[in-house]
Amino acid sequence: MKLFTVGPVEMYEETRVVRGKQLPYFRTPEFSDMMLEADELLKKMISAQQGAKTIYLTASGTGAMEATIMNCFDEKDKILVINGGGFGARFVQICKVHNICCDEIKVGFEENITEEKLRLYAQGGYTGLLVNIHETSIGKIYPIEIISDFCKKNNLYLIVDAISSVFADEYDMQKYNIDATIFSSQKALSLAPGMSVVVLSPRIIEERVNKKIVRSMYFDFKDYIYNFQRGQTPFTPAVGVFIEFYNMIKYIQSIGIENKIEETRVRAMKFREKAQELGFEIPKFEKSNALTPILFEEKGKLVYSILKEKYGYIVTPSGGEFAERILRVGHIGNLNDEDGLQLLNAMRKVVDELK
Ligand SMILES: *Cc1c(COP(=O)(O)O)cnc(C)c1O
């Protein structure tokens, strides 16, 4: 079996070895040192601002999305959500649950965010903007530069769900004035699920997080920030996933984050070239290096099932209106360029046999 998914993905041998070991007790100076060391490296890799702080949560990505909203906004805010798919819709849902007023910028399938589109919202009295920089449900990446400029000009906090993008695409908190970066262990880092991370800018900590009374004990970021001064979390962290994270971050540091991203970019590019050669259709919008959506006229799910049953290749169908029309192929995790090409050959055979 081989996973061409976005998370969990094919794990690296090194991660599997680390996973197989007895877990240590974690309220120790040794564990604290490990957390602090990994955290420093992480913040460098995503160019976090001087004074940025990280929250290590034991939750899936959605938990971190919700916790971020709860700690940064309330009923007095007015939020803009870029909604071009399933994960954009999730942000809208979270705002609704917490009674936070939000307006959606709907992005059509072929469309992308432009300056003109955003300008329509310039005078709306908004205080924050939420975006899933890579809308994983269809594989589209939004232009961070344009979004960042809009937020700067209109003084909005910029919250970025980068769960499936960070470590696969270039990412820079400082350059783009990002106030919160959210990601999880099971995507490009190729670790087990269970740990999600929020990196906060100094300004949002000072102006929002520190001042907010959060209606949750477990998800109150103030407590996490306080405890992390000594390299600890208020509650038991996903100890094993954290150790996997430590090892992965050290590995990425040893090869260089630019090289890690470049490797994924080249893999995606080779895959897309070959896909086109074989007559598959790929949407023209800007795509993340993490995944390639392939368009089908029909029977997408059947192709998915045959690939799984006959070849042991696991790709991901899309949801909703694209359930039969898109298969998503991940390029993250322990895959090489050849794996993707073999998948394409198999997919070509499956599709031809269905004709
Ligand atoms: C994977 C993903 C999430 C997190 O989903 P969980 O199932 O809660 O881990 C959130 N946003 C995006 C864009 C994702 O790709």
Side-chain angles (χ1 to χ4, degrees), residues 203-234:
R203 82 159 181 167
I204 207 165
I205 295 171
E206 208 172 292
E207 298 168 10
R208 293 291 176 125
V209 176
N210 281 345
K211 292 184 179 161
K212 231 185 121 0
I213 297 166
V214 180
R215 288 194 193 289
S216 164
M217 192 191 79
Y218 190 76
F219 289 112
D220 190 341
F221 284 179
K222 291 187 283 300
D223 210 3
Y224 287 80
I225 293 172
Y226 176 74
N227 274 278
F228 205 76
Q229 290 172 3
R230 57 181 177 117
Q232 289 283 327
T233 50

Side-chain angles (χ1 to χ4, degrees), residues 6-7 59-65 86-88 90-91 131-137 161-165 182 184-187 193-194 196 291 328:
V6 266
S60 88
T62 308
M65 289 163 75
F87 289 103
R90 193 169 294 184
F91 262 145
V131 63
N132 321 87
I133 201 67
H134 169 210
E135 176 47 81
T136 324
S137 64
D161 162 5
I163 293 178
S164 59
S165 180
I182 303 163
S184 297
S185 50
Q186 80 274 25
K187 302 268 166 99
S196 293
L291 97 89
R328 296 174 297 155

Side-chain angles (χ1 to χ4, degrees), residues 90-236:
R90 193 169 294 184
F91 262 145
V92 174
Q93 206 180 339
I94 292 170
C95 287
K96 288 201 173 133
V97 167
H98 293 278
N99 275 325
I100 297 169
C101 168
C102 79
D103 286 333
E104 297 170 57
I105 307 181
K106 291 258 176 130
V107 192
F109 186 75
E110 301 283 356
E111 260 186 307
N112 211 328
I113 288 294
T114 58
E115 259 181 83
E116 294 70 43
K117 205 170 162 71
L118 286 180
R119 210 177 291 139
L120 301 171
Y121 298 86
Q123 307 299 330
Y126 296 102
T127 49
L129 184 145
L130 315 179
V131 63
N132 321 87
I133 201 67
H134 169 210
E135 176 47 81
T136 324
S137 64
I138 53 170
K140 184 184 293 173
I141 195 157
Y142 298 122
I144 186 66
E145 202 150 353
I146 292 175
I147 295 169
S148 165
D149 280 349
F150 173 81
C151 289
K152 250 186 248 167
K153 273 193 201 123
N154 296 283
N155 200 25
L156 308 190
Y157 293 110
L158 173 53
I159 309 298
V160 180
D161 162 5
I163 293 178
S164 59
S165 180
V166 87
F167 303 106
D169 302 305
E170 274 173 42
Y171 193 84
D172 192 318
M173 279 188 81
Q174 184 153 0
K175 183 168 169 196
Y176 296 116
N177 243 10
I178 295 167
D179 291 297
T181 296
I182 303 163
F183 69 89
S184 297
S185 50
Q186 80 274 25
K187 302 268 166 99
L189 286 171
S190 320
L191 314 175
M195 187 179 81
S196 293
V197 180
V198 185
V199 184
L200 298 166
S201 74
R203 82 159 181 167
I204 207 165
I205 295 171
E206 208 172 292
E207 298 168 10
R208 293 291 176 125
V209 176
N210 281 345
K211 292 184 179 161
K212 231 185 121 0
I213 297 166
V214 180
R215 288 194 193 289
S216 164
M217 192 191 79
Y218 190 76
F219 289 112
D220 190 341
F221 284 179
K222 291 187 283 300
D223 210 3
Y224 287 80
I225 293 172
Y226 176 74
N227 274 278
F228 205 76
Q229 290 172 3
R230 57 181 177 117
Q232 289 283 327
T233 50
F235 313 105
T236 309

Side-chain angles (χ1 to χ4, degrees), residues 20-37:
K21 294 190 177 152
Q22 166 66 44
L23 295 179
Y25 178 60
F26 66 99
R27 299 285 189 208
T28 62
E30 293 77 24
F31 196 77
S32 295
D33 286 349
M34 203 161 105
M35 290 202 88
L36 291 168
E37 185 185 352

